[in-house]
Coordinates of all heavy atoms in Angstrom, one line a residue:
I996 N 5.2 -3.6 7.4 CA 3.8 -3.3 7.6 C 3.5 -1.8 7.5 O 4.2 -1.0 8.1 CB 3.3 -3.7 9.1 CG1 3.8 -5.2 9.4 CG2 1.8 -3.5 9.3 CD1 3.1 -6.2 8.5
V997 N 2.6 -1.5 6.6 CA 2.2 -0.1 6.4 C 0.8 0.2 6.9 O -0.1 -0.6 6.6 CB 2.2 0.2 4.9 CG1 1.9 1.6 4.6 CG2 3.6 -0.2 4.2
G998 N 0.7 1.3 7.6 CA -0.6 1.7 8.1 C -0.8 3.1 7.9 O 0.1 3.9 7.7
G999 N -2.1 3.5 7.9 CA -2.4 4.9 7.7 C -3.8 5.1 7.1 O -4.4 4.1 6.7
P1000 N -4.2 6.3 7.0 CA -5.6 6.6 6.5 C -5.6 6.4 5.0 O -4.6 6.5 4.3 CB -5.8 8.1 6.9 CG -4.4 8.7 6.8 CD -3.5 7.6 7.3
C1001 N -6.9 6.2 4.5 CA -7.1 6.3 3.0 C -6.6 7.6 2.5 O -5.8 7.6 1.6 CB -8.6 6.0 2.8 SG -9.0 6.0 1.0
S1002 N -7.1 8.7 3.1 CA -6.7 10.0 2.7 C -6.1 10.8 3.9 O -6.6 10.7 5.0 CB -8.0 10.8 2.2 OG -8.6 10.2 1.2
I1003 N -5.1 11.6 3.6 CA -4.6 12.6 4.5 C -5.7 13.6 4.7 O -6.2 14.2 3.7 CB -3.3 13.2 4.1 CG1 -2.2 12.1 4.1 CG2 -2.9 14.4 4.9 CD1 -0.8 12.6 3.7
E1004 N -6.1 13.9 6.0 CA -7.2 14.8 6.2 C -6.8 16.1 6.9 O -7.3 17.1 6.7 CB -8.3 14.1 7.0 CG -8.9 12.9 6.3 CD -9.8 12.0 7.2 OE1 -10.0 12.4 8.4 OE2 -10.3 11.0 6.7
S1005 N -5.8 15.9 7.9 CA -5.3 17.1 8.6 C -4.0 16.7 9.3 O -3.6 15.5 9.4 CB -6.3 17.5 9.7 OG -6.4 16.5 10.7
M1006 N -3.3 17.8 9.7 CA -2.1 17.6 10.4 C -2.3 16.8 11.7 O -1.5 15.9 12.1 CB -1.4 18.9 10.7 CG 0.0 18.8 11.4 SD 1.2 18.2 10.3 CE 1.8 19.7 9.5
S1007 N -3.3 17.1 12.5 CA -3.6 16.4 13.8 C -3.9 15.0 13.5 O -3.5 14.1 14.3 CB -4.6 17.2 14.6 OG -5.9 17.0 14.1
Q1008 N -4.7 14.7 12.5 CA -5.0 13.3 12.2 C -3.7 12.5 12.0 O -3.5 11.4 12.5 CB -5.9 13.2 10.9 CG -6.1 11.8 10.4 CD -6.0 11.8 8.8 OE1 -5.3 12.6 8.2 NE2 -6.7 10.9 8.3
M1009 N -2.8 13.1 11.1 CA -1.6 12.3 10.7 C -0.6 12.3 11.9 O 0.1 11.3 12.1 CB -0.9 13.0 9.5 CG -1.6 12.8 8.2 SD -2.0 11.1 7.8 CE -0.3 10.5 7.4
D1010 N -0.6 13.3 12.8 CA 0.3 13.3 13.9 C -0.2 12.2 14.9 O 0.7 11.4 15.3 CB 0.2 14.7 14.6 CG 1.4 14.9 15.5 OD1 2.5 15.2 14.9 OD2 1.3 14.7 16.7
T1011 N -1.4 12.1 15.2 CA -1.9 11.0 16.0 C -1.6 9.6 15.5 O -1.1 8.7 16.2 CB -3.4 11.1 16.2 OG1 -3.7 12.4 16.7 CG2 -4.0 10.1 17.2
I1012 N -1.8 9.5 14.2 CA -1.6 8.2 13.5 C -0.1 7.8 13.6 O 0.3 6.7 14.0 CB -2.1 8.2 12.1 CG1 -3.7 8.3 12.1 CG2 -1.7 6.9 11.3 CD1 -4.3 8.6 10.7
A1013 N 0.7 8.7 13.2 CA 2.2 8.5 13.2 C 2.7 8.1 14.6 O 3.5 7.1 14.7 CB 2.9 9.7 12.6
Q1014 N 2.3 8.9 15.5 CA 2.7 8.7 16.9 C 2.3 7.2 17.4 O 3.1 6.5 18.0 CB 2.0 9.7 17.8 CG 2.8 10.0 19.1 CD 2.2 11.3 19.7 OE1 1.0 11.4 19.8 NE2 3.0 12.2 20.2
T1015 N 1.1 6.9 17.1 CA 0.6 5.6 17.6 C 1.3 4.4 16.8 O 1.7 3.4 17.4 CB -0.9 5.5 17.4 OG1 -1.5 6.6 18.0 CG2 -1.5 4.2 18.1
L1016 N 1.3 4.6 15.5 CA 1.9 3.5 14.7 C 3.4 3.3 14.8 O 3.9 2.2 14.7 CB 1.5 3.7 13.2 CG 0.0 3.6 12.8 CD1 -0.2 3.7 11.3 CD2 -0.7 2.5 13.5
L1017 N 4.1 4.4 15.2 CA 5.5 4.2 15.5 C 5.7 3.2 16.6 O 6.7 2.5 16.6 CB 6.1 5.6 15.8 CG 7.6 5.8 15.8 CD1 8.2 5.6 14.4 CD2 7.9 7.2 16.3
Q1018 N 4.8 3.2 17.5 CA 4.9 2.3 18.7 C 4.4 0.9 18.4 O 4.7 0.0 19.1 CB 4.1 2.9 19.9 CG 4.4 4.3 20.3 CD 5.9 4.5 20.7 OE1 6.5 3.6 21.3 NE2 6.5 5.6 20.2
A1019 N 3.6 0.7 17.4 CA 2.9 -0.5 17.1 C 3.8 -1.8 17.0 O 3.5 -2.8 17.7 CB 2.0 -0.4 15.9
P1020 N 5.0 -1.8 16.3 CA 5.4 -0.8 15.4 C 5.1 -1.1 14.0 O 4.9 -2.3 13.6 CB 6.9 -0.8 15.5 CG 7.2 -2.3 15.8 CD 6.0 -2.8 16.4
V1021 N 5.0 -0.1 13.1 CA 4.9 -0.3 11.7 C 6.2 0.2 11.0 O 6.9 0.9 11.7 CB 3.7 0.4 11.0 CG1 2.3 -0.1 11.7 CG2 3.8 1.9 11.1
Q1022 N 6.4 -0.2 9.8 CA 7.6 0.2 9.1 C 7.3 1.3 8.0 O 8.2 1.8 7.4 CB 8.2 -1.0 8.4 CG 8.8 -2.1 9.3 CD 7.8 -2.8 10.2 OE1 6.7 -3.2 9.7 NE2 8.1 -3.0 11.5
G1023 N 6.0 1.5 7.8 CA 5.7 2.6 6.8 C 4.3 3.2 7.1 O 3.5 2.6 7.8
L1024 N 4.2 4.5 6.7 CA 3.0 5.2 6.9 C 2.4 5.6 5.5 O 3.1 6.1 4.7 CB 3.4 6.5 7.6 CG 2.3 7.4 8.1 CD1 1.4 6.8 9.2 CD2 2.9 8.7 8.7
R1025 N 1.1 5.3 5.4 CA 0.5 5.6 4.1 C -0.5 6.8 4.3 O -0.9 7.1 5.4 CB -0.3 4.4 3.5 CG -1.5 3.9 4.4 CD -2.6 3.2 3.5 NE -3.3 4.2 2.7 CZ -3.9 4.0 1.6 NH1 -3.7 2.9 1.0 NH2 -4.5 5.0 1.0
G1026 N -0.8 7.4 3.2 CA -1.8 8.5 3.2 C -2.0 9.0 1.8 O -1.0 9.5 1.2
G1027 N -3.2 9.1 1.3 CA -3.5 9.5 0.0 C -3.6 11.1 -0.1 O -4.2 11.7 0.8
I1028 N -2.9 11.7 -1.0 CA -3.0 13.1 -1.2 C -3.8 13.4 -2.5 O -4.6 14.4 -2.5 CB -1.5 13.6 -1.4 CG1 -0.7 13.4 -0.2 CG2 -1.5 15.1 -1.9 CD1 0.8 13.7 -0.4
Y1029 N -3.5 12.7 -3.5 CA -4.3 12.8 -4.8 C -5.1 11.5 -4.9 O -4.5 10.4 -5.0 CB -3.4 13.0 -6.0 CG -2.4 14.1 -5.8 CD1 -1.0 13.8 -5.6 CD2 -2.8 15.4 -5.9 CE1 -0.1 14.8 -5.4 CE2 -1.8 16.4 -5.7 CZ -0.5 16.1 -5.4 OH 0.4 17.1 -5.2
K1030 N -6.4 11.5 -4.8 CA -7.2 10.3 -4.7 C -7.9 10.0 -6.0 O -8.6 10.8 -6.5 CB -8.2 10.5 -3.5 CG -7.7 10.6 -2.1 CD -6.8 9.5 -1.7 CE -7.6 8.2 -1.6 NZ -6.7 7.0 -1.2
P1031 N -7.8 8.7 -6.4 CA -8.5 8.2 -7.6 C -9.9 7.8 -7.3 O -10.2 6.6 -7.3 CB -7.6 7.1 -8.0 CG -7.1 6.5 -6.7 CD -7.0 7.6 -5.7
R1032 N -10.8 8.8 -7.0 CA -12.1 8.4 -6.5 C -13.0 8.0 -7.7 O -12.9 8.6 -8.8 CB -12.8 9.6 -5.8 CG -12.0 10.1 -4.6 CD -11.7 8.9 -3.5 NE -12.9 8.3 -3.0 CZ -13.6 8.9 -2.1 NH1 -13.3 10.2 -1.6 NH2 -14.7 8.4 -1.6
T1033 N -13.9 7.1 -7.5 CA -14.9 6.6 -8.5 C -15.7 7.8 -9.1 O -15.8 8.0 -10.3 CB -15.8 5.5 -8.0 OG1 -15.0 4.5 -7.6 CG2 -16.8 5.1 -9.0
S1034 N -16.2 8.7 -8.2 CA -16.9 9.8 -8.6 C -16.1 11.1 -8.6 O -15.4 11.4 -7.6 CB -18.1 10.0 -7.7 OG -18.7 11.3 -7.9
P1035 N -16.2 11.9 -9.7 CA -15.5 13.2 -9.7 C -16.0 14.2 -8.7 O -15.4 15.2 -8.4 CB -15.7 13.7 -11.1 CG -17.0 13.0 -11.6 CD -17.0 11.7 -10.9
Y1036 N -17.2 13.9 -8.1 CA -17.8 14.8 -7.1 C -17.4 14.4 -5.7 O -17.7 15.1 -4.7 CB -19.4 14.8 -7.3 CG -19.8 15.0 -8.7 CD1 -20.4 14.1 -9.4 CD2 -19.4 16.3 -9.3 CE1 -20.7 14.3 -10.8 CE2 -19.7 16.5 -10.6 CZ -20.4 15.5 -11.4 OH -20.7 15.8 -12.7
A1037 N -16.8 13.2 -5.5 CA -16.3 12.8 -4.2 C -15.0 13.5 -3.8 O -14.3 14.0 -4.8 CB -16.1 11.3 -4.2
F1038 N -14.6 13.6 -2.6 CA -13.4 14.2 -2.1 C -12.2 13.7 -2.9 O -12.0 12.5 -3.0 CB -13.2 13.8 -0.6 CG -12.0 14.3 0.0 CD1 -11.6 15.6 0.1 CD2 -11.1 13.4 0.6 CE1 -10.4 16.1 0.7 CE2 -9.9 13.8 1.2 CZ -9.6 15.1 1.3
Q1039 N -11.4 14.6 -3.5 CA -10.3 14.2 -4.3 C -9.0 14.2 -3.7 O -7.9 14.1 -4.3 CB -10.3 15.1 -5.6 CG -11.6 15.2 -6.4 CD -11.8 13.9 -7.2 OE1 -10.9 13.6 -8.0 NE2 -12.9 13.2 -7.0
G1040 N -9.0 14.4 -2.3 CA -7.7 14.5 -1.6 C -7.3 15.9 -1.3 O -7.8 16.8 -2.1
L1041 N -6.5 16.1 -0.4 CA -6.1 17.5 0.0 C -5.1 18.2 -1.0 O -4.9 19.4 -1.0 CB -5.4 17.6 1.4 CG -6.3 17.4 2.6 CD1 -5.5 17.6 3.9 CD2 -7.6 18.4 2.5
G1042 N -4.6 17.4 -1.9 CA -3.6 17.9 -2.9 C -2.3 18.5 -2.2 O -1.9 17.8 -1.3
D1043 N -1.9 19.6 -2.7 CA -0.6 20.1 -2.2 C -0.6 20.4 -0.7 O 0.5 20.2 -0.1 CB -0.3 21.4 -3.0 CG -0.1 21.2 -4.5 OD1 -0.1 20.0 -4.9 OD2 0.0 22.1 -5.2
V1044 N -1.7 20.7 -0.1 CA -1.7 20.9 1.3 C -1.4 19.6 2.0 O -0.7 19.5 3.0 CB -3.1 21.4 1.8 CG1 -3.3 21.5 3.3 CG2 -3.4 22.8 1.2
G1045 N -1.9 18.5 1.4 CA -1.7 17.1 2.0 C -0.2 16.8 1.9 O 0.3 16.1 2.7
L1046 N 0.4 17.2 0.8 CA 1.8 16.9 0.6 C 2.7 17.6 1.7 O 3.6 17.0 2.2 CB 2.3 17.3 -0.8 CG 3.7 17.0 -1.1 CD1 4.1 15.6 -1.0 CD2 4.0 17.5 -2.6
D1047 N 2.3 18.8 2.0 CA 3.0 19.5 3.1 C 2.8 18.8 4.4 O 3.8 18.7 5.2 CB 2.5 21.0 3.3 CG 2.8 21.8 2.1 OD1 3.7 21.5 1.3 OD2 2.1 22.9 1.9
I1048 N 1.7 18.3 4.7 CA 1.4 17.5 5.9 C 2.3 16.2 5.9 O 3.0 15.9 6.9 CB -0.1 17.2 6.1 CG1 -0.9 18.4 6.2 CG2 -0.3 16.2 7.3 CD1 -2.4 18.2 6.2
L1049 N 2.2 15.5 4.8 CA 3.0 14.2 4.7 C 4.5 14.5 4.9 O 5.2 13.8 5.7 CB 2.8 13.6 3.4 CG 3.3 12.2 3.2 CD1 2.5 11.2 4.1 CD2 3.3 11.7 1.8
S1050 N 5.0 15.6 4.3 CA 6.4 15.9 4.4 C 6.8 16.2 5.8 O 7.8 15.8 6.3 CB 6.7 17.0 3.4 OG 8.0 17.4 3.5
A1051 N 5.9 17.0 6.5 CA 6.2 17.4 7.9 C 6.2 16.2 8.8 O 7.1 16.0 9.7 CB 5.2 18.4 8.4
I1052 N 5.3 15.3 8.7 CA 5.1 14.1 9.5 C 6.3 13.2 9.3 O 6.9 12.6 10.2 CB 3.8 13.4 9.2 CG1 2.6 14.3 9.7 CG2 3.7 12.0 9.8 CD1 2.5 14.4 11.2
R1053 N 6.7 13.1 8.0 CA 7.9 12.2 7.7 C 9.1 12.7 8.4 O 9.9 11.9 9.0 CB 8.1 12.3 6.2 CG 9.3 11.5 5.6 CD 9.3 11.6 4.1 NE 10.3 10.8 3.5 CZ 11.2 11.4 2.7 NH1 11.3 12.7 2.6 NH2 12.1 10.6 2.1
K1054 N 9.3 14.0 8.4 CA 10.5 14.6 9.1 C 10.4 14.4 10.6 O 11.4 14.1 11.3 CB 10.7 16.1 8.8 CG 11.1 16.3 7.3 CD 11.7 17.7 7.2 CE 11.8 18.1 5.7 NZ 10.7 19.0 5.2
R1055 N 9.2 14.6 11.1 CA 8.9 14.6 12.6 C 9.2 13.2 13.2 O 9.7 13.0 14.2 CB 7.5 15.1 12.9 CG 7.3 15.4 14.3 CD 5.9 16.1 14.5 NE 5.7 17.3 13.7 CZ 4.6 17.9 13.4 NH1 3.4 17.3 13.9 NH2 4.5 18.9 12.7
Y1056 N 8.7 12.2 12.5 CA 8.7 10.8 13.0 C 9.7 9.9 12.4 O 10.0 8.8 12.9 CB 7.3 10.2 13.0 CG 6.3 10.9 13.9 CD1 5.5 11.9 13.4 CD2 6.3 10.6 15.2 CE1 4.7 12.6 14.2 CE2 5.5 11.3 16.1 CZ 4.6 12.3 15.6 OH 3.8 12.9 16.4
G1057 N 10.3 10.3 11.3 CA 11.3 9.5 10.6 C 10.7 8.1 10.0 O 11.5 7.2 9.7
L1058 N 9.4 8.0 9.9 CA 8.8 6.8 9.4 C 8.8 7.0 7.8 O 8.4 8.0 7.3 CB 7.3 6.7 9.8 CG 7.0 5.8 11.0 CD1 5.5 5.9 11.3 CD2 7.3 4.3 10.7
P1059 N 9.1 5.9 7.1 CA 9.0 5.9 5.7 C 7.5 6.2 5.3 O 6.6 5.7 5.9 CB 9.4 4.5 5.2 CG 10.2 4.0 6.3 CD 9.7 4.6 7.6
V1060 N 7.3 7.0 4.3 CA 5.9 7.3 3.9 C 5.7 6.9 2.4 O 6.6 6.9 1.6 CB 5.6 8.8 4.1 CG1 5.7 9.2 5.5 CG2 6.4 9.7 3.2
I1061 N 4.4 6.5 2.2 CA 4.0 6.0 0.9 C 2.8 6.8 0.5 O 1.8 6.9 1.3 CB 3.6 4.5 1.0 CG1 4.8 3.7 1.5 CG2 3.1 4.0 -0.3 CD1 4.5 2.2 1.6
T1062 N 2.8 7.3 -0.8 CA 1.6 8.0 -1.3 C 1.5 7.7 -2.7 O 2.4 7.3 -3.4 CB 1.6 9.5 -0.9 OG1 0.3 10.0 -1.0 CG2 2.6 10.2 -1.8
E1063 N 0.2 7.8 -3.2 CA -0.1 7.4 -4.6 C 0.3 8.6 -5.6 O -0.1 9.7 -5.4 CB -1.6 7.0 -4.8 CG -1.9 6.8 -6.2 CD -3.3 6.0 -6.4 OE1 -3.8 5.6 -5.4 OE2 -3.7 5.9 -7.5
V1064 N 0.9 8.1 -6.7 CA 1.2 9.1 -7.8 C 0.2 8.7 -8.9 O 0.1 7.6 -9.3 CB 2.7 9.0 -8.2 CG1 3.1 7.6 -8.6 CG2 3.0 9.9 -9.3
M1065 N -0.6 9.7 -9.3 CA -1.6 9.4 -10.4 C -1.1 9.8 -11.8 O -1.8 9.3 -12.7 CB -2.9 10.1 -10.0 CG -3.5 9.6 -8.7 SD -5.2 9.4 -8.8 CE -5.8 11.1 -9.1
A1066 N -0.2 10.7 -11.9 CA 0.2 11.1 -13.2 C 1.7 11.4 -13.3 O 2.3 11.7 -12.2 CB -0.6 12.4 -13.6
I1067 N 2.3 11.4 -14.5 CA 3.7 11.6 -14.7 C 4.1 13.0 -14.0 O 5.2 13.0 -13.4 CB 4.1 11.6 -16.1 CG1 3.8 10.2 -16.7 CG2 5.5 12.0 -16.4 CD1 4.0 10.1 -18.2
H1068 N 3.3 14.0 -14.2 CA 3.8 15.3 -13.7 C 3.9 15.4 -12.2 O 4.5 16.3 -11.7 CB 2.9 16.4 -14.3 CG 1.5 16.4 -13.7 ND1 1.2 17.1 -12.5 CD2 0.4 15.8 -14.0 CE1 -0.1 16.9 -12.2 NE2 -0.6 16.1 -13.1
Q1069 N 3.3 14.4 -11.5 CA 3.3 14.5 -10.0 C 4.6 13.8 -9.5 O 5.0 14.0 -8.3 CB 2.1 13.7 -9.4 CG 0.8 14.4 -9.7 CD -0.4 13.6 -9.3 OE1 -0.3 12.3 -9.1 NE2 -1.5 14.2 -9.2
I1070 N 5.3 13.1 -10.3 CA 6.5 12.3 -9.9 C 7.5 13.3 -9.3 O 8.0 13.0 -8.1 CB 7.1 11.5 -11.0 CG1 6.1 10.4 -11.5 CG2 8.4 10.8 -10.5 CD1 6.6 9.6 -12.7
E1071 N 7.9 14.3 -10.0 CA 8.9 15.2 -9.6 C 8.6 15.9 -8.3 O 9.4 16.1 -7.4 CB 9.0 16.3 -10.7 CG 10.5 16.6 -11.0 CD 10.5 17.7 -12.0 OE1 9.9 17.6 -13.1 OE2 11.2 18.8 -11.7
K1072 N 7.3 16.2 -8.1 CA 6.8 16.9 -6.9 C 6.8 16.0 -5.7 O 7.1 16.4 -4.6 CB 5.4 17.4 -7.2 CG 4.7 18.2 -6.1 CD 3.8 19.2 -6.7 CE 2.5 18.6 -7.1 NZ 1.4 19.6 -7.4
L1073 N 6.4 14.7 -5.9 CA 6.2 13.8 -4.8 C 7.5 13.1 -4.4 O 7.7 12.9 -3.2 CB 5.2 12.7 -5.2 CG 3.8 13.1 -5.3 CD1 2.9 11.9 -5.8 CD2 3.2 13.6 -4.0
A1074 N 8.4 12.8 -5.3 CA 9.6 12.0 -5.1 C 10.4 12.5 -3.9 O 10.8 11.7 -3.1 CB 10.4 11.8 -6.3
P1075 N 10.7 13.8 -3.7 CA 11.5 14.2 -2.6 C 10.9 14.1 -1.3 O 11.6 14.1 -0.2 CB 11.7 15.7 -2.9 CG 11.3 16.0 -4.3 CD 10.3 14.9 -4.6
H1076 N 9.6 13.9 -1.2 CA 8.8 13.8 0.1 C 8.3 12.4 0.4 O 7.6 12.2 1.4 CB 7.7 14.8 0.1 CG 8.1 16.2 -0.3 ND1 8.8 17.0 0.7 CD2 8.0 16.9 -1.4 CE1 9.1 18.2 0.1 NE2 8.7 18.2 -1.1
A1077 N 8.5 11.5 -0.5 CA 8.0 10.1 -0.2 C 9.1 9.1 -0.4 O 10.0 9.3 -1.2 CB 6.9 9.8 -1.2
D1078 N 9.0 8.0 0.4 CA 10.0 7.0 0.4 C 9.6 5.9 -0.7 O 10.4 5.2 -1.2 CB 10.2 6.3 1.7 CG 10.7 7.4 2.7 OD1 11.9 7.7 2.6 OD2 9.8 8.0 3.5
V1079 N 8.3 5.8 -0.9 CA 7.7 4.8 -1.9 C 6.6 5.5 -2.6 O 5.8 6.2 -2.0 CB 7.2 3.6 -1.2 CG1 6.6 2.6 -2.2 CG2 8.2 2.9 -0.3
L1080 N 6.6 5.4 -3.9 CA 5.5 5.9 -4.7 C 4.6 4.8 -5.1 O 5.0 3.8 -5.6 CB 6.0 6.6 -6.0 CG 6.8 8.0 -5.7 CD1 7.3 8.5 -7.0 CD2 5.9 9.0 -4.9
Q1081 N 3.3 5.0 -4.8 CA 2.3 4.0 -5.1 C 1.6 4.2 -6.4 O 1.2 5.3 -6.7 CB 1.3 4.0 -4.0 CG 0.1 3.1 -4.1 CD -0.8 3.1 -2.9 OE1 -0.3 3.2 -1.8 NE2 -2.1 3.0 -3.1
V1082 N 1.5 3.1 -7.2 CA 0.7 3.2 -8.4 C -0.6 2.4 -8.1 O -0.5 1.2 -7.7 CB 1.4 2.5 -9.6 CG1 0.5 2.4 -10.8 CG2 2.7 3.3 -10.0
G1083 N -1.7 3.1 -8.1 CA -3.0 2.5 -7.7 C -3.5 1.5 -8.8 O -3.1 1.5 -9.9
S1084 N -4.5 0.8 -8.4 CA -5.1 -0.3 -9.2 C -5.6 0.3 -10.6 O -5.4 -0.3 -11.6 CB -6.4 -0.8 -8.5 OG -5.9 -1.6 -7.5
R1085 N -6.1 1.5 -10.5 CA -6.7 2.1 -11.7 C -5.6 2.5 -12.7 O -5.9 2.9 -13.9 CB -7.6 3.3 -11.3 CG -8.9 2.8 -10.7 CD -9.5 3.8 -9.7 NE -10.6 3.2 -8.9 CZ -10.3 2.4 -7.8 NH1 -9.1 2.2 -7.4 NH2 -11.3 1.9 -7.1
N1086 N -4.4 2.6 -12.2 CA -3.3 3.0 -13.1 C -2.3 1.8 -13.4 O -1.3 2.1 -14.0 CB -2.5 4.1 -12.5 CG -3.1 5.5 -12.9 OD1 -3.4 5.7 -14.1 ND2 -3.2 6.4 -12.0
M1087 N -2.7 0.6 -13.0 CA -1.7 -0.5 -13.2 C -1.2 -0.6 -14.6 O -0.1 -1.0 -14.8 CB -2.3 -1.8 -12.7 CG -1.2 -2.9 -12.6 SD -1.9 -4.6 -12.7 CE -2.2 -4.8 -14.5

Side-chain angles (χ1 to χ4, degrees):
I996 310 295
V997 180
C1001 182
S1002 303
I1003 291 182
E1004 299 171 3
S1005 69
M1006 184 69 90
S1007 73
Q1008 172 221 30
M1009 289 305 288
D1010 200 76
T1011 305
I1012 293 171
Q1014 206 168 42
T1015 310
L1016 295 189
L1017 194 62
Q1018 307 301 319
V1021 301
Q1022 290 69 42
L1024 186 64
R1025 62 154 287 148
I1028 294 170
Y1029 309 106
K1030 296 299 298 180
R1032 303 303 300 284
T1033 299
S1034 166
Y1036 308 114
F1038 176 62
Q1039 302 285 303
L1041 287 185
D1043 296 352
V1044 173
L1046 182 55
D1047 292 341
I1048 296 172
L1049 189 71
S1050 181
I1052 292 291
R1053 178 179 184 240
K1054 287 199 196 99
R1055 195 173 303 163
Y1056 293 96
L1058 262 176
V1060 301
I1061 302 181
T1062 198
E1063 177 165 350
V1064 57
M1065 297 225 294
I1067 294 176
H1068 71 88
Q1069 294 170 345
I1070 297 174
E1071 226 184 303
K1072 183 151 74 169
L1073 291 176
H1076 305 285
D1078 299 284
V1079 179
L1080 291 177
Q1081 174 174 324
V1082 174
S1084 291
R1085 290 154 193 80
N1086 269 320
M1087 189 204 80

